[in-house]
Amino acid sequence: MLPEKILVMRLRYVLLFSIIGIALAIVIGQMIGIGVQATATVTIITSSIIAGKYRSKFEEMERGKRV
C-alpha cells in the first residue's frame, strides 16, 4: 500500500516527479559510474508507485465511486 501523501497527490505530479527522478538517476549514476544500475533501480521504484496509484483508482472505479 502506498503512503497517504502519494495517494492524494495528483497523477500528473507523480508522473512528473518520476520523470525528474529517473533523469536525476541517469545524471548522478553517470557521474558516479553506476549509470545503468541507478537508472534501473529508480525506474522500478517509480513504476511501482505509478502502478499502485492506478490500482487504487481502478479499485475505486470497480466499487462504483466517482474518480
Side-chain angles (χ1 to χ4, degrees):
M1 194 71 184
L2 292 174
E4 186 66 31
K5 189 173 186 177
I6 294 176
L7 284 176
V8 298
M9 187 182 293
R10 299 199 45 91
L11 182 62
R12 70 179 75 141
Y13 296 121
V14 173
L15 295 174
L16 179 65
F17 289 141
S18 297
I19 292 170
I20 291 170
I22 293 169
L24 284 174
I26 292 169
V27 171
I28 293 171
Q30 288 297 321
M31 290 183 348
I32 295 174
I34 56 167
V36 174
Q37 293 88 357
T39 305
T41 303
V42 173
T43 302
I44 291 169
I45 291 170
T46 56
S47 65
S48 297
I49 292 171
I50 294 168
K53 280 208 54 88
Y54 275 114
R55 273 194 305 266
S56 68
K57 291 296 179 186
F58 285 130
E59 286 175 4
E60 289 176 11
M61 287 171 48
E62 286 177 347
R63 292 183 185 138
K65 293 183 182 177
R66 185 176 176 143
V67 178

